[in-house]
Amino acid sequence: QVQLQESGPGLVKPSQTLSLTCTVSGGSISSDTPTYYWSWIRQPAGKGLEWIGRIYTSGTTKYNPSLKSRVTISADTSRNQFSLRMNSVTAADTAVYYCARYHYGGGAFDIWGQGTMVTVSS
Amino acid sequence: QSVLTQPPSVSGAPGQRVTISCTGSSSNIGAGHDVQWYQQLPGTAPKFLINGYNNRPSGVPDRFSGSKSGTSASLAITGLQAEDEAAYYCQSYDTSLSAYVFGTGTKVTVL
C-alpha cells in the first residue's frame, strides 16, 4: 500500500529556510487517476493542524494564503518525491510537519506520513 | 487559524455513545463543503476516519459515523471502547480563506 515518509533537518536557525522532502512508496505521484493532491500539513506541539499547501501531478500548486509568501512546494517525479521549502522561518514555525495524500474523489487526506519534528532555534 | 470550533474534551464510559461537534460558518460547512474526521492517537500522525459521504477506510469500525446540518457537523462514536481514547479533528474547505481548514480538536476520554 502507499506509504509516505518525511525527511529533512530537525533544527533550523531563525531567518533561514526549512526544507523537507516526502518520499512516496507503493504508488506513483505522477498518476492522475484517481486524482490525488500531495500536501504538507503542520502541527505545533499541543496544538491543532494547519494545512500548508499542495501540489498536483501536473505541477500545479495551491498554498494556504497565510503562508503563501514564504512557501514553495515542488515535485520530483523521477524520485517519486515532493518537497516543501519555507523561508524566513521563526520560532512560530516550530512544529511537526506531515506530508499527506489528498484523495480528490474521497475528499480527504487519506494517507499521512509519520511526521517529522522541526525546531526553529539558534 | 482554526475556523472550525470543537469542544476541547468529551468523555464517556465504555459502551456509551459520545458525539463531537464541529461548528463552522457560511464560508466552509455552510457553503456545502464536506466535512471529514481524523483520529490522532498520542504521539502518532492523524488517521483518516470518515469522509463527508460517511465512507470509512477499511479497518475503521462502523461505530463511527458522521453527520452535517447547516454550518455544523458531528462525529458520533457508539459503543465507546478504550482504544477510542484519542484526539479527533474535523476538516473542511473554506471558500473565503481558499484553504483546507481543520477543527480545534477534541480529546476523547474513556472513563
Side-chain angles (χ1 to χ4, degrees):
Chain A
Q1 72 276 23
V2 176
Q3 293 183 313
L4 282 65
Q5 178 69 58
E6 305 87 352
S7 60
L11 181 65
V12 182
K13 289 182 168 49
S15 79
Q16 294 194 341
T17 298
L18 177 161
S19 294
L20 297 174
T21 296
C22 181
T23 301
V24 180
S25 59
S28 172
I29 66 170
S30 303
S31 173
D32 58 3
T33 305
T35 299
Y36 297 122
Y37 297 127
W38 305 95
S39 297
W40 288 96
I41 295 162
R42 69 180 181 179
Q43 184 176 35
K47 296 188 178 181
L49 300 159
E50 180 179 33
W51 175 72
I52 298 171
R54 73 179 193 204
I55 187 166
Y56 180 52
T57 181
S58 65
T60 304
T61 54
K62 182 177 176 66
Y63 302 114
N64 189 324
S66 68
L67 298 168
K68 185 176 182 178
S69 64
R70 299 194 293 126
V71 170
T72 301
I73 296 176
S74 59
D76 183 340
T77 55
S78 66
R79 296 187 176 193
N80 219 34
Q81 297 174 332
F82 62 104
S83 299
L84 169 70
R85 286 176 59 86
M86 179 182 293
N87 58 35
S88 305
V89 297
T90 69
D93 296 310
T94 294
V96 175
Y97 285 75
Y98 296 101
C99 57
R101 186 182 80 173
Y102 183 86
H103 184 191
Y104 180 78
F109 297 99
D110 64 346
I111 298 178
W112 297 63
Q114 66 183 31
T116 187
M117 179 68 200
V118 178
T119 301
V120 179
S121 174
S122 56
Chain B
Q1 191 213 349
S2 295
V3 298
L4 303 179
T5 303
Q6 300 177 232
S9 63
V10 300
S11 61
Q16 284 190 331
R17 178 180 187 269
V18 297
T19 61
I20 301 170
S21 61
C22 174
T23 303
S25 68
S26 59
S27 62
N28 41 68
I29 301 175
H33 295 295
D34 291 323
V35 179
Q36 285 63 242
W37 291 89
Y38 303 85
Q39 178 193 61
Q40 186 174 33
L41 298 169
T44 69
K47 167 189 165 186
F48 169 46
L49 205 58
I50 192 165
N51 70 6
Y53 305 103
N54 250 328
N55 293 327
R56 296 174 299 276
S58 61
V60 175
D62 59 6
R63 301 185 294 101
F64 294 90
S65 62
S67 63
K68 187 177 82 166
S69 178
T71 58
S72 296
S74 292
L75 174 72
I77 309 174
T78 57
L80 194 64
Q81 299 183 5
E83 66 200 50
D84 299 332
E85 197 160 277
Y88 292 82
Y89 293 90
C90 59
Q91 175 261 314
S92 187
Y93 184 81
D94 192 284
T95 305
S96 295
L97 295 175
S98 194
Y100 297 100
V101 291
F102 289 89
T104 49
T106 298
K107 174 71 169 69
V108 169
T109 301
V110 181
L111 302 172

